[in-house]
């Protein structure tokens, strides 16, 4: 009976290894010469690359690897090199083999299984790990507690019902519709469906609109958890590169992809893009909506960061839906999680009434509806002015945390490159020519957790980046960056690879 549950082909593995393949890569040690620098053996470079892919979640545990001869041909190295790399991985516990069944990836005893998603650390780990994995702040008080007090007071009439509201509570749908109307996008309650967070909203849309094998255009990079959600649903992702400018979008590239690939759906984050922080201006929004309409593509606009401008006086563009006069091209997703608290799992979809009716009908086979008490808490925030006050607190904190992170990066990692985002919660940093995956791996052993850039790309792109949320107060942000600087030095010196015993975490 084979011990593997999936397989990785030789061409796929070679592509994933990319710059990490033997003898290459921006962080590879120098090749001898007058300086006398020692070259890392090719087999060890290959073992390091495969180990990094497993730890980063890009090659799953229990995935069967190609035969040694086949992989050697794909990498243009000797079979001896591959055999030695496999033997090193076996000795470390990252590879298991059995005669007749081949070799498959594994994890050493006691190591947590890696994941392709950005999963929050459990709260009990906070005393030993500085978590920059998730872009989330603690709850704003006393606003959240007051909102739940309001919810409990309003709950009795709902207790006498069955409690299932597939479209959401009418009072909350009406409140959200009114907010869109106030932003210049006239909206009826019939155009709103309440969901379990923004992820629930995108999952419902993907299930309805993109059958397995359907093309979905995405910004490149894009939000890691959405990319993983779409992959698992069987979507064929069509990446469209960001420009690196503050406005983010490359309109000629978008027009070409929409015209040539004809994707059924496109997913975009125009407001303080996750992970880059880019903010698309009105002209780009107008042009993208027009291009999507011409191609027959449904444009899903994620607005979860839209209420987090951080620079004073920053004028926000109108919502994407404002450029969709007919209302048949743009579908908007919103959420409470980033702007208020991730533990309040309430999101929504704004779309045409026809799309909303289809989503509601399909929900009978999913979760039936979102929690009533949490919906009433959001109604409380929206009804008494608490929302605006709580968001103002979030902006002030995020601005302070952003400035502290930027200052620490400039002091301790001066060769890392980034654009200071004008809003949102994330900073996208180029890691000075180092492998972001290896920096992340070394950082975790030093007590700081960051996601490598590859999680935000398709087919292993963005190896030279990491995403850094600004979610820690100044003292912790400085300590986190100091640990990242030590991790970068480990990678630079070639000491990050291998299965070392984790160090004690410094409080």
């Amino acid at each position: 009976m084979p011990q593997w549950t999936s397989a990785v082909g030789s061409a796929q593995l070679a592509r994933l290894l990319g710059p990490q393949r033997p003898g290459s890569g921006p962080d590879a040690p120098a090749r001898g010469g007058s300086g006398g620098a020692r070259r890392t053996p090719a087999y060890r470079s290959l073992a390091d690359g495969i180990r990094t892919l497993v730890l980063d979640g890009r090659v799953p545990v229990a995935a069967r690897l190609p035969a040694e001869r086949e992989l050697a041909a794909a990498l243009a190295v000797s079979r001896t090199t591959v055999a030695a790399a496999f033997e090193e991985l076996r000795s470390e516990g990252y590879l298991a083999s059995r005669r007749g069944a081949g070799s498959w990836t594994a994890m050493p005893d006691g190591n947590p299984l890696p994941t392709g998603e950005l999963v929050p650390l459990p709260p009990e780990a906070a005393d030993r790990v500085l978590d920059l994995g998730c872009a989330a702040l603690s709850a704003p008080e006393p606003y959240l507690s007051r909102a739940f007090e309001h919810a409990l007071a309003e709950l009795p009439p709902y207790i006498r019902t069955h409690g299932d509201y597939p479209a959401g509570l009418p009072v909350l749908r009406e409140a959200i519709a009114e907010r869109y109307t106030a932003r210049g996008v006239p909206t009826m309650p019939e155009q709103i469906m309440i969901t379990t967070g923004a992820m629930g909203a995108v999952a419902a849309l993907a299930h309805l609109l993109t059958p397995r094998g359907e093309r979905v255009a995405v910004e490149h990079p894009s939000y890691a958890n959405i990319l993983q959600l779409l992959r698992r649903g069987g979507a064929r992702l069509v990446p469209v590169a960001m420009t690196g400018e503050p406005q983010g979008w490359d309109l000629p590239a978008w027009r070409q992809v929409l015209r040539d690939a004809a994707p059924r759906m496109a997913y975009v984050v125009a407001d303080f893009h996750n992970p880059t922080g880019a903010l698309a201006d009105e002209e780009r929004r107008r042009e993208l909506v027009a291009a999507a309409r011409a191609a027959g593509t449904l444009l899903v606009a994620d607005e979860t960061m839209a209420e987090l401008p951080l620079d004073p006086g920053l004028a926000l563009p109108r919502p994407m839906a404002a450029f969709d006069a007919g209302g048949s091209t743009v579908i908007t997703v919103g959420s409470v999680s980033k702007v208020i608290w991730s533990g309040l799992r309430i999101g929504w979809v704004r779309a045409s009434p026809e799309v909303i009716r289809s989503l509601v009908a399909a929900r009978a086979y999913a979760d039936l509806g979102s929690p009533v008490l949490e919906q009433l808490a959001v109604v409380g925030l929206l009804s008494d002015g608490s929302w605006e006050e709580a968001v103002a607190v979030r902006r002030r904190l995020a601005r302070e945390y952003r400035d502290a992170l930027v200052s620490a990066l400039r002091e301790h990692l001066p060769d890392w490159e980034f654009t200071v985002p004008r809003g949102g919660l994330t900073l996208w940093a180029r890691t000075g020519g180092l492998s972001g995956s290896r920096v992340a791996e070394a950082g975790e052993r030093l007590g700081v957790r960051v996601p490598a850039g590859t999680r935000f790309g398709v087919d292993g792109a963005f190896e030279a980046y990491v995403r850094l949320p600004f979610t820690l107060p100044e003292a912790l942000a400085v300590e986190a960056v100091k640990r990242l600087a030590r991790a970068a030095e480990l990678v630079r010196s070639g000491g990050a690879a291998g299965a070392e015993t984790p160090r004690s975490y410094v409080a």
Side-chain angles (χ1 to χ4, degrees):
M1 187 75 177
Q3 303 297 307
W4 47 273
T5 58
S6 62
V8 181
S10 57
Q12 180 188 7
L13 185 55
R15 185 174 68 252
L16 287 170
L17 284 165
Q20 300 183 78
R21 66 177 60 192
S24 66
D27 58 332
R31 297 173 178 265
S34 59
R38 186 178 60 186
R39 177 183 176 185
T40 300
Y43 81 89
R44 185 163 294 163
S45 293
L46 176 56
D48 291 349
I50 294 174
R51 182 192 308 106
T52 297
L53 291 175
V54 173
L55 290 169
D56 200 35
R58 283 179 285 157
V59 170
V61 174
R64 188 177 188 273
L65 297 186
E68 293 173 1
R69 188 185 306 278
E70 183 183 349
L71 183 58
L75 295 175
V77 299
S78 70
R79 183 179 177 183
T80 302
T81 296
V82 176
F86 279 16
E87 181 56 36
E88 177 158 314
L89 291 169
R90 273 190 291 268
S91 70
E92 296 171 351
Y94 289 97
L95 197 69
S97 303
R98 195 176 70 218
R99 185 179 300 276
S103 299
W104 56 92
T105 55
M107 287 296 288
D109 291 341
N111 283 36
L113 289 177
T115 174
E117 299 87 1
L118 304 182
V119 180
L121 283 176
E124 58 268 22
D127 61 340
R128 58 186 177 84
V129 181
L130 296 174
D131 189 7
L132 291 177
C134 293
L137 294 164
S138 57
E141 286 288 55
Y143 308 104
L144 188 68
S145 293
R146 288 208 307 245
F148 274 98
E149 290 171 2
H150 171 276
L152 286 170
E154 297 295 320
L155 186 60
Y158 296 94
I159 292 176
R160 292 189 288 271
T161 74
H162 50 64
D164 289 332
Y165 295 85
L169 296 185
V171 64
L172 181 54
R173 298 174 73 194
E174 183 175 351
I176 292 173
E178 289 175 356
R179 289 184 67 82
Y180 277 110
T181 299
R183 294 172 63 197
V185 185
T187 302
M188 303 179 296
E190 293 78 10
Q191 292 179 263
I192 302 294
M193 184 180 86
I194 307 303
T195 63
T196 306
M199 288 289 291
V202 177
L205 288 165
H207 181 74
L208 178 69
L209 302 174
T210 58
R212 183 170 292 274
E214 190 72 60
R215 294 185 179 91
V216 177
V218 294
E219 297 148 327
H220 206 217
S222 187
Y223 179 39
N225 285 347
I226 293 295
L227 293 181
Q228 194 74 344
L229 182 155
L230 294 171
R231 287 190 193 100
R232 289 186 174 184
R236 297 165 59 191
L237 300 183
V238 183
V240 186
M242 302 284 285
T243 65
E245 301 172 353
Q247 293 81 19
W249 288 349
D250 184 341
L251 262 300
W254 269 104
R255 281 192 288 266
Q256 180 176 347
V257 165
L258 293 175
R259 182 182 63 248
D260 295 348
R264 170 63 174 155
M265 187 176 95
Y267 170 80
V268 297
V269 185
D271 299 281
F272 309 119
H273 175 259
N274 187 352
T276 68
L279 176 66
D281 59 24
E282 288 207 356
E283 187 58 31
R284 283 175 171 79
R285 295 173 190 234
R286 180 183 293 107
E287 290 188 28
L288 183 58
V289 172
R293 184 184 300 114
T297 298
L298 291 169
L299 196 58
V300 176
D302 188 335
E303 290 188 339
T304 53
M305 298 281 194
E307 294 194 53
L308 289 174
L310 303 184
D311 290 351
L314 177 61
L316 291 179
R318 286 177 288 168
M320 294 281 289
F323 305 98
D324 182 24
S328 60
T329 299
V330 175
I331 298 174
T332 305
V333 168
S335 174
V336 178
S337 65
K338 299 301 184 187
V339 72
I340 300 294
W341 185 47
S342 286
L344 193 56
R345 303 304 305 164
I346 297 297
W348 55 84
V349 176
R350 180 201 178 273
S352 67
E354 294 77 17
V355 169
I356 295 298
R357 284 195 292 270
S358 297
L359 287 170
V360 171
R363 195 171 194 177
Y365 308 101
D367 60 3
L368 292 177
S370 301
V372 171
L373 190 65
E374 293 190 12
Q375 293 186 67
L376 289 173
V378 177
V379 172
L381 287 165
L382 293 171
S383 63
D384 66 358
S386 293
W387 182 282
E388 284 71 22
E389 295 176 20
V391 171
V393 171
R394 308 301 263 176
R395 290 173 182 159
R396 186 183 73 247
L397 276 179
R399 187 183 307 118
E400 292 174 2
Y401 294 175
R402 178 198 63 181
D403 295 347
L405 177 65
V406 167
S407 177
L409 286 169
R410 286 172 172 166
E411 179 179 356
H412 299 288
L413 287 164
D415 58 333
W416 284 24
E417 303 170 37
F418 55 88
T419 299
V420 179
R422 305 191 69 187
L425 292 171
T426 61
L427 181 148
W428 186 238
R430 191 178 183 93
T431 52
L434 302 177
S435 159
S437 298
R438 293 184 179 180
V439 170
E441 178 190 345
E444 186 129 9
R445 292 188 283 113
L446 293 171
V448 59
R449 181 175 182 257
V450 298
T454 48
R455 293 179 182 258
F456 303 86
V458 177
D459 287 337
F462 307 112
E463 176 61 42
Y465 291 84
V466 295
R467 190 195 72 169
L468 302 173
F470 27 96
T471 53
L472 297 178
E474 182 175 5
L476 293 179
V478 170
E479 176 60 25
V481 172
K482 286 181 178 178
R483 296 183 190 186
L484 280 178
R486 294 202 297 272
E489 185 54 39
L490 271 176
V491 174
R492 190 175 290 109
S493 65
E500 301 179 12
T501 302
R503 304 185 182 194
S504 297
Y505 294 127
V506 181

